Amino acid sequence: VMTEAFVNFFVDGFGLQDVKMQQGKVTIIDRKPYVSHPRVDPSRGIARDLTNLDELRDKLANVSETTSVKLVRLESMPFREQLKLIRETHVLIGNHGAGLTFMFFMQANATVGEFGSDANFMMNEIAKWMPDAKHHLLPGASGIVAKQDMDEIIVPWVKEELSKPLVSPSVASEAA
C-alpha cells in the first residue's frame, strides 16, 4: 500500500494518471558512460557500459510487426518525460543501475530485464515490493551483450513477454 501511494503521488503530480501501457513497447536504457569515482581509471574501461545496444534494439524491432523499440538516455530527458515513457513501456531493459528503479512506476503486466550478475540482486528485491512486477536477470553485464545471448536468450524472452495477454491489475492481484 505504501508503494502504491508513493507511485500515485508522482503519477498524479505530473498529470500522468491516464497514460496507458502500450503493448509491444520496448524501452532500452542506454547509460551515458561516466567515471563513478576519482580513483577509477577510465582507460581500463567504464563499468556497466554496454557498447552494442544499437544492435540489440535492431534485433528486438523485428520481434513482431507491433513491436516498437526505443533506445534512451534517461538523464537527457526531463523527469516528466522519463515517467511518461516508463508508464507506456511494456518491457524495460537496462544495465544494473538506478534507471531500473523506474520499475516502481511501470504498469501491471510490464516486465523488467536487467543485465547483470546474480550478485546484483537489488532490483529483484525491489520487484517484490510491486505486486505485478516481473524482473528477469539477463546475460551481459559489462562491455558487450554477446550475439549468441541476444539470439538465444534475450530476443526469445522479449517475444514471449510481448505475447502474453494483458490483464487488468485487479485481475492480476486476484490470480496471485
Side-chain angles (χ1 to χ4, degrees):
V1 174
M2 179 82 142
T3 308
E4 186 177 339
F6 173 80
V7 169
N8 289 338
F9 174 80
F10 283 97
V11 171
D12 295 347
F14 283 98
L16 299 172
Q17 319 75 314
D18 296 329
V19 174
K20 303 289 185 225
M21 181 176 67
Q22 297 173 8
Q23 185 161 6
K25 184 169 190 166
V26 178
T27 301
I28 303 171
I29 298 174
D30 182 12
R31 296 164 51 123
K32 179 180 178 184
Y34 68 96
V35 176
S36 60
H37 193 276
R39 290 190 304 261
V40 173
D41 178 4
S43 67
R44 298 181 70 201
I46 304 295
R48 298 190 289 185
D49 179 31
L50 295 170
T51 59
N52 62 336
L53 293 177
D54 290 334
E55 182 181 357
L56 177 61
R57 178 200 57 216
D58 295 345
K59 285 180 181 275
L60 292 176
N62 294 316
V63 165
S64 77
E65 292 178 12
T66 59
T67 303
S68 68
V69 184
K70 190 169 188 174
L71 185 60
V72 299
R73 286 209 166 148
L74 294 173
E75 70 273 9
S76 69
M77 301 167 63
F79 185 75
R80 184 181 192 283
E81 287 180 37
Q82 294 177 36
L83 191 55
K84 182 176 184 286
L85 173 69
I86 296 303
R87 298 287 293 166
E88 296 171 339
T89 297
H90 190 166
V91 176
L92 179 65
I93 299 174
N95 216 342
H96 174 79
L100 292 182
T101 60
F102 268 108
M103 77 171 63
F104 275 116
F105 301 102
M106 295 181 79
Q107 310 225 18
N109 302 297
T111 189
V112 174
E114 175 187 7
F115 296 114
S117 68
D118 290 333
N120 294 332
F121 61 88
M122 182 54 74
M123 297 306 160
N124 193 43
E125 291 301 311
I126 290 173
K128 291 177 184 175
W129 300 346
M130 306 299 294
D132 300 314
K134 293 177 277 183
H135 173 267
H136 302 272
L137 199 57
L138 301 174
S142 188
I144 194 164
V145 179
K147 288 177 181 24
Q148 184 175 353
D149 288 340
M150 280 187 208
D151 294 337
E152 295 178 8
I153 299 171
I154 300 167
V155 171
W157 168 72
V158 169
K159 190 173 192 172
E160 178 184 344
E161 288 300 318
L162 296 181
S163 70
K164 293 178 181 175
L166 299 182
V167 295
S168 69
S170 59
V171 173
S173 295
E174 290 169 14

